[in-house]
Amino acid sequence: RPARAGLLSELSPAFLDGGAVREGEVLFRIDPADARSDLRRAEIALDEAGTERDAAQAALALAARDLEAARDQRDLRASAAARQADLGRRGVGAAANAEVAELALAASEQQVIAREQAQAAIQARAAQAGIELSRAELARADAARALEETVLRAPFDGLVTEVAAVLGRRVNVNEKLGALV
C-alpha cells in the first residue's frame, strides 16, 4: 500500500504473483518528482528563514549599540545641563546657555525613547524569525519524509501475491497493490 498518491514509476521485477523478494528490496516507487520539488522548496524556505533570523540578530546587535550611544549622548547632555545650571547659580553663565542645554537634554531623552522602541520592534522581529525558522525546519522534515515515502521496500523476505500494480498507473494513498507473505 503506497503512503503517497502518484504514478507508479518503478516496479520490482519480482513484484508479480509468486515473485520472491528480499528484505529491504524496493517493491515499487511512486514518481518522486513532486516530492523532490516540495523538498527543494522547503529547503529554500529554510534558507530564507535562517537568513532572516541572522539579519534580525544582526539588527538587534546594532540596535543595542545604537541605544547605548543614545544613552551616552543623553548622559553627556545631562552633564552639560548640570554644568550650565551650576554656572547660572554662581552668576557666571547666561540663562540662555542653561536653556539650550536643557533643550538638548530633552531632545536626547527623546532619542533614547525612540531607540528603545526601535530595539523592541527588532526584538519582536527576531522572535518572529525564530518561529519562522522552526516552522521551516518542520516543513523540511515533512518534505523529506514525503520523499522517503515514495519508495516502498520489502519489510521482510517473502513472496508477492494478489498483485494489482501496473507500471505507469496512478495509485491512491493506501491502495492495495499486492500482498507479501
Side-chain angles (χ1 to χ4, degrees):
R1 296 178 187 267
R4 318 270 327 149
L7 294 176
L8 280 176
S9 63
E10 180 183 336
L11 277 176
S12 167
F15 200 81
L16 47 90
D17 283 324
V21 295
R22 308 286 292 161
E23 179 179 348
E25 181 179 335
V26 173
L27 298 176
F28 61 82
R29 184 181 311 268
I30 305 296
D31 182 6
D34 289 342
R36 282 189 187 126
S37 294
D38 290 345
L39 177 58
R40 186 65 190 124
R41 276 189 287 279
E43 289 170 341
I44 291 168
L46 182 60
D47 289 345
E48 288 174 340
T51 300
E52 175 58 26
R53 184 213 46 210
D54 294 347
Q57 288 175 340
L60 191 56
L62 289 173
R65 289 178 57 199
D66 195 28
L67 177 58
E68 182 181 338
R71 287 178 175 156
D72 289 346
Q73 187 68 230
R74 178 199 56 203
D75 293 345
L76 288 172
R77 301 277 185 198
S79 293
R83 191 171 40 257
Q84 287 300 323
D86 182 53
L87 289 173
R89 280 190 299 277
R90 291 188 305 178
V92 179
N97 290 343
E99 187 176 306
V100 167
E102 285 295 324
L103 288 172
L105 176 59
S108 65
E109 283 289 347
Q110 282 299 110
Q111 287 298 318
V112 168
I113 292 168
R115 298 304 188 274
E116 287 171 343
Q117 288 173 334
Q119 187 178 39
I122 294 169
Q123 283 172 333
R125 175 182 161 205
Q128 184 64 37
I131 291 167
E132 290 302 320
L133 182 61
S134 295
R135 186 174 289 132
E137 288 168 345
L138 181 60
R140 193 230 173 267
D142 287 346
R145 186 176 60 256
L147 181 58
E148 288 173 10
E149 290 175 347
T150 62
V151 177
L152 183 67
R153 297 181 181 279
F156 52 84
D157 294 350
L159 296 176
V160 179
T161 65
E162 303 174 33
V163 173
V166 177
L167 191 61
R169 180 175 151 233
R170 185 161 217 33
V171 296
N172 295 314
V173 173
N174 210 27
E175 177 181 344
K176 185 174 181 180
L177 301 180
L180 183 62
V181 293

